[in-house]
Amino acid sequence: MVLDRLRRGAVAKDPKKIPDGLWLKCPGCGKTVFKKLVEERQDTCPECNYHYTMSSVRRIELLIDSGTWKEWDAGLSAADPLTFTDSKPYPKRIAESQLKTGMNDAVVCGTGALNGMAVGLGVMEFAFIGGSMGSVVGEKLTRLVERSTAARMPVIIVSTSGGARMQEGALSLMQMAKTSAALGRHKEAGLPYLSILTNPTMAGVMASFASLGDIIIAEPKALIGFTGLRVIKETIKQELPEGFQTSEFILQHGQIDLIVTRQDLRGELARVLSYLHRPRSTAAA
Amino acid sequence: MCLAKAGQPRPQPSTGPAPRAAHWLTWMATYHAGVSNPFTFLDPLVALEAKIQELEQLAQSRGVDLSVEVASLRQKWAEESDRTFAGLTAWQRVQLSRHPQRPQASDYIDRIAQEFVPLAGDRVFGDDAAIITGLGRIGAHACLIIGQQKGKDIHERKRCNFGMPHPEGYRKALEKMRLAERFHLPVVCLINTPGAFPGVEAEERGQSLAIAVNIRDMSLLRTPIVVAVIGEGGSGGALGIGVGDRMLMLQNSYFSVISPEGCAAILWKDGAKRDIAAASMGLTADILSRHGIVDEILPEPPGGAHRQGDAMAAILQAALVRNLDALTKLPMAELLDRRYAKYRTIGQVIEGGELLTGARMAAAHG
């Protein structure tokens, strides 16, 4: 539909000559869609509402009142505790990802106002080594949670990750414990934590902070689970049930509270927080 | 129940190699029929064991005194054992941690606890045999003991799902830990799992959720927790009962973010590169201890834990008692602060051109 309209508008008469970056093929419905339209609707498909991977920068724009964002710990970057080399040395992999994404590692943390309420927000970036969690992700999220606890703020973490980062070995694994312990103290302080699961959220991230939300919200049709599909197939050697490990599947199995589309996400978060959190010093002025 | 029945013969005491080498060799031969023996690095030790046994039998059947020869061979065996175990590669340690005759949680519980009252069930869904939980006395300490169990024969292995717990296993462990907290019993966790079970039902019942909640709640549990890795420490599946005040680790065990095979398949696109992956990931006790993850490495007796279960159990028991003695003396607030700090300081990052690790990292942002 949109495609036809745009074609009539002679943006690109010959589909072979679609200019790079102007069009996208939707992985949800297979249709070719105008990129600008996708961006205008928060990186979702105008045809089928497929939720594209959203960059952390755009996610912060989506959730935080403009002009209120203050980033924390942007300067943290990965060390190489194991001098790890697979197809390339780990420091080289890091440097390449930094160049590609313009970020230091796979999470952005900070504070800002969500519809006027001060929150601590962490947003993972899938483009940075699959959003994998090493020491930097663990440390930044832990500081985020600790600062939010001290300032008596709610925490929101938007997750997307393949899991723990193998190149830092068990140090990555232990970030699961570190972040979860910090969230434990945040919880004991009586503060709410909202976990947002986006496509994909798997393994070590799903088996730690992403699963610990007081309210857990998933975006539609996201892939969410503990073990990757390929490994499960190899283990059980049989076909997997329809829609296995999707947001809808885990909602049906009682593991999350809500599925919320991106267009509604900010409003829904504000609404939920209005029930769970009363800031101590309400700006009476 | 996974525990050995009363009256069942236990492996021989810890003076030199167990005299059941022939049985062991036969068993190994059949177990690995058609599969290349993963334990060739133990061949010199095994050969010496066979020789010692031969001499002993000879001495017995002929009534001659060969004690000098036997003693000298035993000495040689102990030296060979030291040499072998000092020089093992990471992958060889992974293999040893999976040795089919390596003592399991039930073997240790039998030997380190004066009694054991097994407790079943997560009170919601089921009872997972892959995680044993129960009340037991270790030294003077009345404890809750939790152990991952792989199973010893094919029937028990199936029942225990080869040591790969389902969500109900983790929930059972947490349920019993809350009991321990309520009645002021310290918790001892014995880790031995290739990983949490990767299956459809496990996902349907919330494997990630179960593990995540355990990790968080163990960090808050108001009673001492001592964790010991006795074999495989497979990733989140291990960490699901692995957060505590002290982490002990047997010399030939491993603790890793992913199995060497999994890491090799993903990063090297070749599962056969598991030895390289194992060496790269720093999954052995010495490296983990350097990074502040492991607090204490428990040396294995000559021949390894799989040859001398009783001696290994004695070492483990002594370490558990020593740590429980120290931890139960701490005021609760200090215990919990120290536990938090233990995890808070794990990792390495670069900030402002400076390498932060350990206490300096935790202090960096005040």
Side-chain angles (χ1 to χ4, degrees):
Chain A
M1 221 171 71
V2 170
L3 184 63
D4 289 343
R5 207 161 55 227
L6 289 164
R7 272 189 185 147
R8 278 200 300 276
V11 175
K13 276 195 180 109
D14 183 354
K16 279 179 208 149
K17 284 191 184 165
I18 292 174
D20 256 3
L22 262 181
W23 296 85
L24 292 169
K25 191 168 182 316
C26 174
C29 58
K31 288 179 181 152
T32 306
V33 292
F34 197 36
K35 192 178 170 189
K36 201 149 185 230
L37 264 182
V38 170
E39 282 171 2
E40 274 169 15
R41 26 180 303 138
Q42 284 87 33
D43 303 347
T44 59
C45 174
E47 296 286 324
C48 70
N49 205 26
Y50 174 85
H51 283 45
Y52 285 85
T53 301
M54 188 176 226
S55 72
S56 49
V57 175
R58 285 182 53 77
R59 178 72 65 175
I60 293 163
E61 277 171 20
L62 173 74
L63 296 180
I64 297 296
D65 304 348
S66 80
T68 66
W69 177 248
K70 188 184 153 219
E71 189 177 346
W72 285 334
D73 307 309
L76 259 65
S77 65
D80 184 16
L82 303 174
T83 7
F84 197 100
T85 300
D86 47 279
S87 59
K88 55 183 95 158
Y90 180 46
K92 187 160 179 248
R93 192 177 287 280
I94 291 285
E96 286 173 6
S97 288
Q98 287 173 336
L99 208 64
K100 186 178 94 180
T101 59
M103 296 174 60
N104 272 330
D105 212 294
V107 73
V108 180
C109 295
T111 181
L114 190 153
N115 288 6
M117 182 187 284
V119 298
L121 173 68
V123 181
M124 300 190 78
E125 177 68 54
F126 194 74
F128 199 103
I129 319 186
S132 55
M133 169 163 65
S135 298
V136 173
V137 170
E139 177 68 15
K140 284 177 79 167
L141 287 174
T142 302
R143 290 185 187 185
L144 165 77
V145 175
E146 287 179 341
R147 287 203 185 102
S148 302
T149 308
R152 298 206 58 80
M153 285 193 299
V155 168
I156 301 171
I157 297 176
V158 183
S159 295
T160 173
S161 176
R165 190 173 294 168
M166 286 174 280
Q167 289 88 347
E168 292 183 33
L171 292 173
S172 298
L173 180 66
M174 300 315 267
Q175 304 308 310
M176 294 168 66
K178 180 158 139 179
T179 52
S180 301
L183 282 167
R185 293 196 156 189
H186 185 258
K187 180 186 180 218
E188 288 204 325
L191 297 162
Y193 160 43
L194 310 187
S195 173
I196 319 295
L197 314 177
T198 72
N199 187 39
T201 302
M202 298 295 294
V205 164
M206 191 54 197
S208 61
F209 61 84
S211 279
L212 295 175
D214 292 298
I215 303 284
I216 307 178
I217 296 171
E219 288 197 332
K221 297 197 174 118
L223 182 71
I224 298 164
F226 180 64
T227 312
L229 287 170
R230 198 168 49 89
V231 177
I232 296 182
K233 268 189 204 155
E234 277 168 20
T235 311
I236 62 166
K237 313 233 186 277
Q238 61 190 40
E239 279 311 300
L240 299 170
E242 174 104 14
F244 183 66
Q245 287 189 332
T246 57
S247 311
E248 293 71 17
F249 180 87
I250 61 165
L251 179 83
Q252 205 190 357
H253 284 87
Q255 297 171 28
I256 58 173
D257 296 284
L258 283 166
I259 294 175
V260 177
T261 61
R262 207 168 276 167
Q263 294 87 342
D264 298 334
L265 186 60
R266 180 171 174 162
E268 206 61 19
L269 291 178
R271 188 145 68 138
V272 167
L273 282 177
S274 76
Y275 285 88
L276 305 185
H277 187 62
R278 283 166 203 87
R280 243 191 327 208
S281 54
T282 42
Chain B
M1 188 58 236
C2 301
L3 299 176
K5 286 177 197 77
Q8 210 168 302
R10 284 180 174 182
Q12 295 298 309
S14 57
T15 46
R20 292 195 299 173
H23 159 78
W24 179 65
L25 284 170
T26 323
W27 190 85
M28 287 297 291
T30 48
Y31 185 77
H32 293 288
V35 185
S36 64
N37 175 13
F39 300 109
T40 47
F41 57 93
L42 296 177
D43 283 352
L45 274 178
V46 174
L48 278 171
E49 285 165 18
K51 212 160 172 184
I52 292 169
Q53 205 190 12
E54 199 184 318
L55 281 186
E56 281 177 339
Q57 275 169 358
L58 200 69
Q60 207 168 33
S61 61
R62 303 274 166 85
V64 284
D65 180 16
L66 295 171
S67 56
V68 179
E69 288 81 357
V70 169
S72 124
L73 272 182
R74 278 192 201 282
Q75 174 67 22
K76 211 171 150 196
W77 175 81
E79 286 165 11
E80 179 65 31
S81 168
D82 283 351
R83 202 166 35 247
T84 305
F85 285 95
L88 291 183
T89 66
W91 173 240
Q92 286 169 335
R93 286 196 207 279
V94 170
Q95 286 171 306
L96 271 181
S97 78
R98 297 170 176 168
H99 195 291
Q101 294 221 318
R102 198 169 168 84
Q104 302 193 2
S106 63
D107 300 306
Y108 287 119
I109 294 171
D110 275 350
R111 289 169 172 82
I112 65 177
Q114 294 141 34
E115 58 172 3
F116 186 67
V117 186
L119 302 172
D122 69 348
R123 301 279 173 88
V124 176
F125 179 83
D127 182 47
D128 188 346
I131 297 186
I132 301 169
T133 59
L135 304 171
R137 267 174 236 282
I138 302 176
H141 298 279
C143 302
L144 171 74
I145 307 174
I146 297 173
Q148 284 163 329
Q149 179 77 1
K150 291 183 173 179
K152 314 205 67 165
D153 56 41
I154 188 62
H155 303 293
E156 198 201 344
R157 274 181 204 168
K158 267 181 83 177
R159 203 166 61 243
C160 295
N161 198 28
F162 302 86
M164 294 180 283
H166 280 77
E168 54 271 25
Y170 293 104
R171 290 180 178 131
K172 162 167 122 181
L174 187 60
E175 185 67 23
K176 308 313 174 202
M177 283 190 266
R178 294 208 167 110
L179 176 85
E181 179 181 53
R182 223 161 90 66
F183 294 99
H184 311 290
L185 304 173
V187 179
V188 168
C189 296
L190 305 176
I191 290 182
N192 189 13
T193 179
F197 186 60
V200 174
E201 296 84 0
E203 296 283 338
E204 286 176 343
R205 300 201 285 271
Q207 189 73 284
S208 318
L209 277 159
I211 292 171
V213 168
N214 277 29
I215 293 172
R216 179 191 63 199
D217 289 0
M218 288 181 87
S219 80
L220 300 171
L221 202 75
R222 299 177 67 80
T223 191
I225 305 173
V226 182
V227 176
V229 184
I230 58 170
E232 294 193 80
S235 188
L239 201 58
I241 61 159
V243 174
D245 301 294
R246 299 281 290 170
M247 178 136 158
L248 322 180
M249 193 162 164
L250 269 54
Q251 187 187 1
N252 297 316
S253 59
Y254 79 90
F255 185 70
S256 181
V257 65
I258 184 173
S259 72
E261 290 90 342
C263 179
I266 296 170
L267 292 185
W268 280 269
K269 320 275 179 232
D270 178 4
K273 297 257 162 59
R274 56 205 182 176
D275 50 342
I276 301 174
S280 305
M281 285 196 294
L283 41 68
T284 49
D286 50 342
I287 300 175
L288 293 164
S289 132
R290 244 180 282 150
H291 290 298
I293 295 168
V294 165
D295 300 296
E296 202 173 319
I297 303 170
L298 304 185
E300 297 191 13
H306 64 283
R307 301 294 290 121
Q308 298 207 58
D310 282 351
M312 189 67 246
I315 294 169
L316 176 64
Q317 186 190 36
L320 289 173
V321 168
R322 179 160 29 79
N323 282 288
L324 289 170
D325 282 347
L327 293 172
T328 47
K329 284 194 190 90
L330 289 177
M332 187 54 60
E334 189 180 343
L335 182 82
L336 293 176
D337 280 349
R338 283 195 195 186
R339 190 186 302 160
Y340 188 81
K342 172 177 162 60
Y343 293 94
R344 182 67 189 81
T345 52
I346 295 177
Q348 278 192 17
V349 300
I350 295 169
E351 186 174 29
E354 195 189 352
L355 179 72
L356 297 184
T357 183
R360 290 174 68 214
M361 182 158 61
H365 77 112

